[in-house]
Amino acid sequence: MAKFTPLDRRTFLRGAGVALALPMLEGMRPSLATASGSAISGVTNAATASPVRLAWVFFPNGTNYKKWKPEGEGRDWRPSSTLQAVQSVRDDLLVVTGLAHGNARSLGDGAGDHARSAATFLTGAHPVKTHGAGIRAGVSADQVAAEAIGHGTRLASMELGAEHGRSSGQCDSGYSCAYTNNISWRSATQPTAKEVNPRLAFERLVGGLGGERKDANRRQAEKRSVLDIISDQARSLEGRLGGADRRKLEEYFESVREVERRIEHLAANDHDTEASASLADLQAPAGKPESLTERIRSMYDLMVLAFQTDSTRVATLMLGNEGSNRRFPSIGVNDGHHQLSHHKKIEEKMAKIALIDHYLAEQFAYFVQRLKATPDGEGTLLDNCAVMYGGAISDGNRHNHNDLPILLAGRGGGAFDPGRHVKAKPHTPLCNLFLSMFDAAGVPAERFGDSTGRLTTLGS
Amino acid sequence: MLACLVVLGTDCAWADDSLAEGTLAKDPFAEQVTPFLAKYCYDCHQGGSAEAGVDLSLPTTLAEAQQQHARWNQIRGVVQLGAMPPADYDPLPSAEEKQAFAKLLDELVNRVDCNGNPGPGRVTMRRLNAAEYDNTLRDLLQLDFKPSEVVGLPSDDVGNGFDNQGEVLSMSPLLMEKYLSAAATITDRALLAKEATAVDVVIAEPSSDVSVRDAATRVFNNFLPRAYRRSVDPIEVQRLADLVVASVERGDSYRQGVALGVQVAIASPYFLFRIESPPESSEPSPVGPYELASRLSYFLGATMPDDELLANAGQNRLGKEAVLREEVRRLMAKPSGDTLVTRFFAQWLGLTALAELSPDPQQFPLWNTKLAKAVEEETLRLCRTVVSEDRSLLDLFDADFTYVNPRLAELYGMKYLGQDPAEMYFHGPGSVENPQSRKWDLATRGEPYQLEDRWVRVPASKGRRGVMTHASVLALTSNPSATSPVKRGQWVLDVVLGDSPPPAPPTVPSLEETAAGAEGKPLREQLAIHRENPSCAGCHKMMDPIGLGLENFDAIGRWRDEDQGQVIDPAGELAGERFSGPEELMSLIRRREDDIARNFVERLMTYALGRGLRPADQCAVDEIVEAAKPSRYPMSALITGVVLSDPFRMHSQPTQADN
């Protein structure tokens, strides 16, 4: 599907994933090329002196797992019909089976497997069942990583989505929509909103790098004086408020500080300018892409761009909200995804689910190819990435949270030995894989969620 | 418990009289509920290996059960509906025993002493959601654009069915960045552009007699109370005046300096959040006058208080009931009063999901974004009529009239003012089944767009009464390629009657497991097989027969007599009462007027307060419903009732029972 036609640089994000590799812009790696004043933690790939980047991609509603599960083990794995979609990058990824999210199970809370799937996916936590009051899951893996390795880059992390959050009614059996709409949680009580408009996501990325260059200094000074006053206001308010109000204010305060940090980072890295000038020439993707494929690929393109320019080292992408009932007309699926996922073992419906699984995996293959085609230091971006792709429901009909469909792309700076099917012991926590990703990127963590250790079979 | 007594001494004993006896036996819950649990539930639901993780064997006091009311209500529902204990359990409680247990649990767990002091509760401070943010800036700075769209604010998360719930509205760096960039864009356009809209902000300019500081002080003395929706401290104004002075010293113009001050104001926590000072005790006390003004204005207009309301707050007049009633009337008559329709009614009925709905285009080629807009508009128009004509709430569910534009008339198979709608859009007869085949009438090319706005009030067509028979709700409660009697039944129970069945317990088998081998049979039969299973029966006996009564409407709400060659039998049952078709169903629903009113007031109050209701709020809900009953629930009585209620006007520190 994906072709890499060399085009004029200006056409960068135009159209359905038609994109080209940017010329390598060394100036865009401020934090590595120069002493930027802030200490850089995280692991850099010794051979290429590049940092390791982490990303997680989520898809909703589970799979037709029989069509997903590969045969064989190790390098000789034979792709299932769904994983034929990633055959072109089979040497670049690990298929990991046997992993589970025990905390996405009901555990006495009754229905709501979709809400729990999204809420547990990156947190490994069992979410509190509530319509509104006292929402709580856990800090998500990407935010733990962002906390550890995000402060050297302009954006500590980037949260993207390919579907608008649902904005009314009950999302799933007594769970607030905050659970089905988000996978990234800054704190146990604070989901991190995702950007679903490719154009705005692009502008945030490029604009911050230099879109407003001409009067950037004045703007930055203004922003700083605004931030000074509003953070003082928040501080003086803090003492007067209690309980839940104080928690909300803390969210505000933290957000202000994060923006301050970004501005300082920008100021400390003047040589951004040159790189930014060339970036400013890039054409923005459409705000409302015409097709789903274009929307998804635009988001993948943005992740490549963000990693390539070292604007962030941590990213997440929600391909759909959990329980999404979207149709996939481009592959002839005109029933809703969620409706189909309750396939009742009817062949026709199961076949359509497999088609959707295949389609989404194919888009992921596009992402892997783009990472691979992008130079990074001495190697490629893919060498220095660890990208997990998957969901927290295995079979959409059974709503089971073991045997999760999981792919791990990239070498993680050398930590992983891709090209294999790795069978984990049944019910091994998915959080163990997160710990292995943390290790690859130098994120210190002893345990996470319900982890019981590391996945030791991913490396060579 | 005993350890607690030892450590904390008498303090702990005072907290719960039953403990003073040193035993749980006197506790009404332990005395009356526990024996049933022990007899019928403990076998499976006990200890660490309890089924589904539900351990019912932990000693529980009444106070604890009341605190976990959601959990115990679910257990009550599961037993009441017969899903538990499972049919193969021995011994099984008799039907009477189960009903007695459910009644007892209801009385114990949900009991609130309304004569005592139920307490008005406490609202978590609310961030303005995207709509409130836009509306507030529109009124504050006369903006003619929506900032949330320009900077692309991420969609607000929803809790308790609405997007204005304090606990759920969170803040993030992404959002903060957007607020800051919105602030810059807004001041550029509203204050610095040639056609600046905010004409009443810069009310003072520096001159030979007036220093920059004095001018700026005047500006923010006037502007800040409106931006912060309260009186302000001179120090707050001072700080912004300092900012203007510093900005001018840096070489900016005075106006640029003021614009920067406005940026601060509209990125401030005082602007972005609705902050209320914490109540001083657990005794109910009125919220502050400015706080009440904001509560009122955001409830009835989704925007900031206007000058008159702020003045009333400043003069402390909102404590008077007559003033408050008059303000409700005045605010509802303003254009912003329509947000009650476009925001509250739309979210309550689930209409906001219509934009994302995508029925199978092969089966339903007629469906497109214009039709989606039209079906939403029909329902909003009926809601608007009920509100503005101060009709009975019940009219929503059995109105014998509705609104159509030509597109909707076509969907409903009606004439539009005597004309064939298809001919209005298209040249020649065309085909409703295959609209693509139709040719545009080139002579009236511009017409179709105007046609979308031509709404007329018409008598409801065959089988249709009220919103449940509107194409909007019928489509919302369908899957993309087929109707769903289960979803429709659930919608009636949940949205209309407030009688939502408890979520299926994990042990309930799915439709396909119970109806294995029934594929290909009519849906009615598949559902019937599903209901034969006792664990499914409880809930589905309630839901399915309601939805089956609406099978004459297809997945986008068109009338049909047959489905896949079989004549549709629209007979069904609502809570034991039989009906022969949709119109009878609607009149049965209307007869449940107390349930409808109670549910409506609960939803309205949830929207008004920005928090989920607690058991204690039932007292206020009951009061409003009782008061409106003799006049048949006119909308004004329900809306005003919410405003005058204790939870809306008062606050108190949360007590244990509130959690």
Side-chain angles (χ1 to χ4, degrees), chain A residues 151-168:
Chain A
H151 51 83
T153 55
R154 198 167 52 80
L155 303 175
S157 63
M158 189 167 78
E159 297 78 32
L160 302 174
E163 187 176 37
H164 274 281
R166 257 188 286 174
S167 57
S168 77

Side-chain angles (χ1 to χ4, degrees), chain A residues 108 168 190 195 245 252 262, chain B residues 52 122 171 177-178 267 352 481:
Chain A
S168 77
Q190 184 189 9
E195 179 65 84
D245 285 356
Y252 177 91
R262 285 174 196 176
Chain B
R122 166 104 182 98
M171 183 59 111
E177 253 180 50
K178 301 228 172 198
T352 43
S481 54

Side-chain angles (χ1 to χ4, degrees), chain B residues 359-574:
Chain B
D360 176 4
Q362 260 129 47
Q363 281 189 64
F364 307 106
L366 214 50
W367 188 271
N368 57 26
T369 48
K370 285 195 181 119
L371 182 59
K373 198 89 209 114
V375 302
E376 179 182 15
E377 183 63 22
E378 177 195 11
T379 306
L380 291 179
R381 277 178 186 257
L382 180 61
C383 295
R384 192 170 290 131
T385 301
V386 170
V387 174
S388 64
E389 296 178 7
D390 198 12
R391 285 166 167 262
S392 166
L393 161 71
L394 305 170
D395 286 3
L396 275 183
F397 303 104
D398 77 342
D400 58 2
F401 63 90
T402 191
Y403 295 88
V404 293
N405 67 0
R407 189 178 294 280
L408 203 56
E410 181 177 12
L411 181 80
Y412 287 157
M414 298 161 68
K415 292 264 188 215
Y416 180 86
L417 297 178
Q419 267 183 290
D420 177 353
E423 284 179 19
M424 297 176 70
Y425 282 101
F426 303 102
H427 183 61
S431 146
V432 174
E433 293 310 316
N434 186 9
Q436 274 82 4
S437 73
R438 299 183 296 192
K439 296 274 185 295
W440 286 105
D441 181 353
L442 293 180
T444 57
R445 214 183 172 83
E447 282 276 288
Y449 298 98
Q450 300 162 19
L451 289 175
E452 303 300 322
D453 292 331
R454 290 197 202 162
W455 288 87
V456 289
R457 183 158 159 170
V458 294
S461 57
K462 177 184 166 194
R464 296 189 198 261
R465 287 285 180 279
V467 294
M468 185 65 235
T469 57
H470 284 191
S472 57
V473 174
L474 292 163
L476 282 170
T477 52
S478 296
N479 286 317
S481 54
T483 60
S484 168
V486 181
K487 280 191 187 177
R488 285 178 177 176
Q490 195 192 4
W491 196 91
V492 169
L493 291 172
D494 180 29
V495 176
V496 184
L497 300 173
D499 197 9
S500 189
T507 46
V508 170
S510 56
L511 181 60
E512 74 279 3
E513 286 166 90
T514 55
E519 298 93 351
K521 290 195 178 163
L523 192 54
R524 183 177 275 269
E525 278 178 49
Q526 285 191 40
L527 288 169
I529 296 170
H530 190 51
R531 288 195 302 275
E532 274 167 24
N533 185 311
S535 9
C536 313
C539 297
H540 284 271
K541 252 201 278 191
M542 292 163 62
M543 297 187 286
D544 304 357
I546 303 173
L548 287 168
L550 295 161
E551 273 294 275
N552 276 128
F553 303 104
D554 73 9
I556 59 169
R558 283 179 305 192
W559 182 269
R560 60 181 184 179
D561 292 308
E562 293 184 353
D563 182 25
Q564 297 175 7
Q566 308 209 352
V567 176
I568 287 165
D569 169 13
E573 209 179 288
L574 175 71

